[in-house]
Amino acid sequence: MEERKFDKNSLIGFLLIGGILLWMLYINQPEETAVDPDTTEQVSDTATTEDATTSAVDESVEPEVTSNAVTQGDSTAVQELQNRLGSFAYSGTLPSAKDATTTLENDVLRLEISNQGGYVVEAMMKEHTTYAGEPVYLIKDGNNEFNLQFSAENRLLNSKDLYFEPSLTQNGANQVLSMKLKTSANAYLEYRYEIKPGEYMLDFNIRSQGLEGVVDTSQPIYLDWKLKGYRHAKSITYENRYTRLTYEYEDEDFSKLSPSGEDDEVEKDVNWMNFRQHFFSSMLLTDTEFPEVAFSSEDLVKDEEVDTVYTKKYGAKMLLEPQAGGLSYNMNMYYGPTDYQIFKGYDRNLDEAMPLGWGIFGMINKYLIIPVFGVLSNWFPAGIAIIVLTILFKLLLSPVQYKQYVSQAKMKVLKPEMDEIRKKYEGNQMKIQQETMKLQSATGASPLKGCLPALLQIPVFYALFTFFPTAFDLRQKSFLWAEDLSSYDTIAELPFHIPFYGDHVSLFPILASIAIFVYMMMSTGQSMQAQQQPGMPNMKFLMYLSPLFMLVFFNNYASGLSLYYLTSNLITIGIMLVIKNVIIDEDKIHARIQENKKKPRKQNRFQRKMAEMMEQAEAQKKAQKK
């Protein structure tokens, strides 16, 4: 954050301005005047009329009206106000036409709703703090704008510039706030908010009454929502990666805008939208689909080295369809955690707003990993829950890993015979490959059999990769030296910034990298030469690449994810040692292979096709030599 410094000159300036204002208020004290409540030619106090005269909406027309003239009962000033606002000038003369807010709150959420515009100008989470220990604000200091744009009496008006009259009441245990933009005592546009105890979701309604002759429904009516997302996490880049605009449209279709650069999209029949800020969300949901919405997103984070206040700038301009009696939209607003369990409880497909992976990866997260981790986190601290979760999944996948290691052991036993084939047909790569495949087919050993079990583990590994960065239960939960498992674990600060690595050193990625290297040495290293055939990737290169990738790119990732990889690879190393030294007998495997050689082995369709292709290639090669 930018450091706020004390400015002596600004203080002197504010004192001088304050003195001038006090002097003007003293010499312009209003006289006691009887006022007809049905007219708008007299305004009750200076502050009210001063704000009212600046609340015009049509930005192309801004006639100058002084608050002093209205305060003194000058009918010309009121006429100017009426010329600008028409019937809505009535609201500009009410006591609410001043910069004030009304508090709407429960035990988890506090909202401040402004008279000007009638929308939320402050939203604070009561139970959550930022990485710096400050309260989490989703809305504050003008980062949010919520505007209804409509035509009335040949004027284009914006509700964000007009003044609403607040009325706060109780509906049982719920707080209800009615904000009315009036043209008369019984004709108004209303925003109605209702908040329930313990809920981040509140009811929100827009409706109009008695405005049939005022609001021009033949012209488009737009609800325009803009919000800049605040930074809440230690790593700007990491938080910004999971900060994204998502929405549902056209009967359970889901989409999102790009997390980088600038992006925009126009969609039909939108049900809800989420201005997601990694672990927190600002959402708008509607019972009546928006016929058309123009979405926009702009990435405000340009460099990890720059201390940025905001991450993304979001926008959604929604087309509203008025009913016969005017506007009537039943909606909901949500200001709270991006938590799967909370989202799932509303039964509105809100969990699709979370980056849990597509297809089978998302299903594994939703129906396996999240429920299991939810149970474990109720029994254990977050770090222990990750370790237990890892153990359970490694045990679940151990039969697959056993088959993988048996295949590797077979390839190791066959290595001397494969070396003989290479020596015998040296210089003829086609013949080497052909004879090697015959040997593998006869003995029932193949490098593909080692790869297939590994491929079966990928969906689970990828699902876990997407789960940990989005698990709200890990946020600000400590383990060992890691202060927050949802962020990186710093053991040393660097005096400079390294591209891709950062300006700090995280310990869990280092330990995980070492564990991965040991595992790669044990698994890939022992069969590297046996599997190194023409056309296959350089296994030695891969053996060094994986640990290096973990070391560099996971330095800024959630330490919970690095803890998982560390634990996973330590368990895998342990399982491999047990399989190798206790379960698998390589001498027995060798004897079984020799027995398999004596038996006629039927080739499958793929093997026959490959053999035919290689024989044809060999024949063509011989023909060319002739």
Side-chain angles (χ1 to χ4, degrees):
M1 306 290 179
E2 292 184 359
E3 186 180 355
R4 297 181 179 273
K5 298 182 178 180
F6 177 74
D7 190 340
K8 181 172 65 175
N9 293 331
S10 297
L11 177 61
I12 295 172
F14 285 135
L15 291 175
L16 289 173
I17 293 171
I20 293 171
L21 288 174
L22 289 173
W23 177 74
M24 289 179 65
L25 288 172
Y26 174 76
I27 66 169
N28 289 317
Q29 294 183 68
E31 300 177 2
E32 295 290 336
T33 308
V35 180
D36 184 348
D38 294 329
T39 68
T40 59
E41 295 186 357
Q42 179 68 37
V43 182
S44 60
D45 59 81
T46 303
T48 296
T49 54
E50 182 176 0
D51 291 327
T53 57
T54 60
S55 65
V57 176
D58 188 349
E59 296 177 355
S60 62
V61 182
E62 295 191 31
E64 199 171 308
V65 183
T66 63
S67 60
N68 187 40
V70 179
T71 305
Q72 294 179 350
D74 189 341
S75 61
T76 303
V78 176
Q79 186 61 51
E80 292 277 6
L81 186 61
Q82 290 176 329
N83 289 340
R84 298 171 71 188
L85 303 180
S87 299
F88 286 92
Y90 178 86
S91 290
T93 61
L94 294 172
S96 60
K98 57 185 177 182
D99 291 330
T101 62
T102 303
T103 302
L104 193 66
E105 64 181 327
N106 57 19
D107 47 329
V108 296
L109 178 66
R110 192 191 78 201
L111 304 174
E112 295 289 336
I113 291 90
S114 173
N115 290 356
Q116 183 175 350
Y119 63 90
V120 178
V121 293
E122 191 172 286
M124 186 196 78
M125 309 291 101
K126 290 186 175 182
E127 298 181 340
H128 304 289
T129 58
T130 67
Y131 72 100
E134 301 170 351
V136 170
Y137 286 92
L138 299 184
I139 298 175
K140 188 182 180 184
D141 296 337
N143 72 318
N144 182 60
E145 186 178 287
F146 195 80
N147 176 49
L148 190 68
Q149 187 180 79
F150 57 96
S151 297
E153 300 170 334
N154 297 320
R155 300 170 177 84
L156 183 63
L157 301 179
N158 291 296
S159 64
K160 66 183 178 67
D161 297 322
L162 304 175
Y163 285 88
F164 289 67
E165 185 176 41
S167 175
L168 184 63
T169 58
Q170 289 288 136
N171 180 17
N174 303 345
Q175 276 191 333
V176 179
L177 175 61
S178 171
M179 303 292 291
K180 292 181 178 178
L181 175 61
K182 295 184 174 182
T183 62
S184 69
N186 298 315
Y188 51 81
L189 173 71
E190 180 186 28
Y191 291 170
R192 184 182 184 275
Y193 303 84
E194 182 169 353
I195 191 169
K196 304 170 185 176
E199 291 276 357
Y200 294 101
M201 184 83 75
L202 57 146
D203 295 338
F204 174 66
N205 310 109
I206 296 179
R207 71 184 188 96
S208 62
Q209 177 176 305
L211 299 181
E212 292 81 358
V214 179
V215 176
D216 186 355
T217 56
S218 67
Q219 298 297 317
I221 299 176
Y222 292 103
L223 182 60
D224 195 3
W225 183 24
K226 296 183 177 70
L227 183 140
K228 289 195 291 186
Y230 274 113
R231 171 195 178 185
H232 298 128
K234 189 161 50 174
S235 172
I236 310 170
T237 304
Y238 184 68
E239 178 181 18
N240 201 37
R241 186 179 295 119
Y242 299 96
T243 298
R244 200 167 186 180
L245 193 159
T246 59
Y247 54 90
E248 181 187 57
Y249 68 105
E250 292 183 355
D251 263 346
E252 300 187 5
D253 283 336
F254 307 95
S255 190
K256 58 197 75 174
L257 297 190
S258 172
S260 60
E262 296 184 26
D263 195 12
D264 57 79
E265 192 65 64
V266 177
E267 296 290 1
K268 305 287 187 183
D269 302 326
V270 175
N271 300 307
W272 56 255
M273 63 205 70
N274 182 3
F275 293 173
R276 191 178 74 219
Q277 299 163 243
H278 194 184
F279 283 123
F280 296 97
S281 291
S282 302
M283 306 183 74
L284 182 66
L285 307 87
T286 178
D287 294 343
T288 305
E289 294 176 341
F290 299 123
E292 183 178 281
V293 180
F295 293 107
S296 63
S297 175
E298 180 185 352
D299 188 4
L300 302 178
V301 177
K302 307 304 180 186
D303 194 330
E304 172 76 21
E305 297 180 73
V306 178
D307 207 3
T308 310
V309 175
Y310 302 107
T311 53
K312 292 282 196 312
K313 181 180 180 181
Y314 294 129
K317 191 169 185 177
M318 297 150 267
L319 178 66
L320 303 187
E321 284 187 337
Q323 308 299 317
L327 280 176
S328 180
Y329 270 82
N330 294 326
M331 294 182 275
N332 297 94
M333 288 180 169
Y334 179 90
Y335 299 105
T338 308
D339 189 311
Y340 177 83
Q341 300 297 350
I342 295 177
F343 281 3
K344 195 66 178 174
Y346 291 115
D347 196 26
R348 294 285 298 269
N349 299 318
L350 303 185
D351 54 291
E352 297 293 340
M354 299 186 64
L356 297 176
W358 54 272
I360 188 173
F361 309 116
M363 293 176 64
I364 292 173
N365 267 324
K366 293 177 182 179
Y367 303 114
L368 184 61
I369 296 175
I370 292 176
V372 171
F373 187 78
V375 173
L376 293 176
S377 59
N378 288 331
W379 293 349
F380 305 104
I384 301 299
I386 291 175
I387 294 173
V388 175
L389 178 75
T390 310
I391 293 172
L392 291 177
F393 278 102
K394 294 305 292 185
L395 292 175
L396 181 66
L397 295 171
S398 57
V400 176
Q401 188 173 0
Y402 172 77
K403 291 183 178 180
Q404 181 182 2
Y405 194 85
V406 168
S407 177
Q408 292 173 350
K410 286 182 178 181
M411 295 299 297
K412 182 181 179 182
V413 169
L414 284 177
K415 186 178 183 301
E417 296 182 51
M418 294 172 70
D419 288 341
E420 288 181 13
I421 292 174
R422 292 192 189 95
K423 186 176 180 180
K424 182 178 180 180
Y425 299 102
E426 186 176 0
N428 190 342
Q429 295 298 334
M430 183 68 70
K431 190 64 175 177
I432 292 173
Q433 193 169 4
Q434 189 176 7
E435 293 299 318
T436 299
M437 288 186 65
K438 285 182 181 179
L439 175 65
Q440 292 171 350
S441 177
T443 58
S446 170
L448 289 177
K449 290 187 176 181
C451 294
L452 289 175
L455 291 175
L456 293 175
Q457 301 178 59
I458 289 178
V460 175
F461 292 157
Y462 182 78
L464 287 164
F465 177 81
T466 57
F467 165 72
F468 284 108
T470 58
F472 191 84
D473 288 342
L474 294 181
R475 187 177 183 273
Q476 296 185 342
K477 301 295 175 59
S478 62
F479 180 68
L480 299 178
W481 57 84
E483 297 178 353
D484 184 351
L485 287 169
S486 72
S487 185
Y488 53 79
D489 57 305
T490 305
I491 58 166
E493 298 284 353
L494 300 177
F496 47 83
H497 186 275
I498 302 175
F500 302 109
Y501 188 75
D503 57 1
H504 63 278
V505 177
S506 299
L507 182 55
F508 273 129
I510 295 175
L511 298 177
S513 299
I514 295 172
I516 289 176
F517 181 76
V518 173
Y519 163 70
M520 295 290 285
M521 286 286 291
M522 293 176 64
S523 60
T524 308
Q526 70 176 6
S527 56
M528 190 187 304
Q529 296 301 322
Q531 297 183 34
Q532 196 61 50
Q533 299 174 22
M536 294 188 67
N538 190 320
M539 304 303 291
K540 190 173 183 180
F541 171 74
L542 294 176
M543 187 175 69
Y544 293 108
L545 179 64
S546 296
L548 182 63
F549 180 86
M550 166 67 72
L551 182 66
V552 175
F553 290 98
F554 277 57
N555 191 59
N556 291 302
Y557 266 70
S559 53
L561 182 61
S562 299
L563 172 61
Y564 158 73
Y565 278 116
L566 170 62
T567 307
S568 176
N569 282 285
L570 289 176
I571 295 171
T572 300
I573 291 169
I575 291 175
M576 288 180 67
L577 290 173
V578 171
I579 291 174
K580 179 181 179 181
N581 298 315
V582 179
I583 299 176
I584 288 182
D585 188 330
E586 292 185 359
D587 292 334
K588 289 183 179 180
I589 290 176
H590 185 268
R592 194 178 301 120
I593 285 175
Q594 300 307 316
E595 287 294 324
N596 288 340
K597 284 183 182 180
K598 300 174 184 178
K599 299 176 183 178
R601 194 171 184 87
K602 187 177 180 181
Q603 290 183 325
N604 58 40
R605 187 176 178 181
F606 175 77
Q607 289 172 328
R608 287 198 306 270
K609 191 69 176 174
M610 286 295 296
E612 290 173 4
M613 290 173 61
M614 294 179 71
E615 287 174 0
Q616 290 174 4
E618 182 68 17
Q620 289 175 0
K621 189 174 181 181
K622 288 180 178 179
Q624 289 175 356
K625 287 183 177 180
K626 292 179 181 179

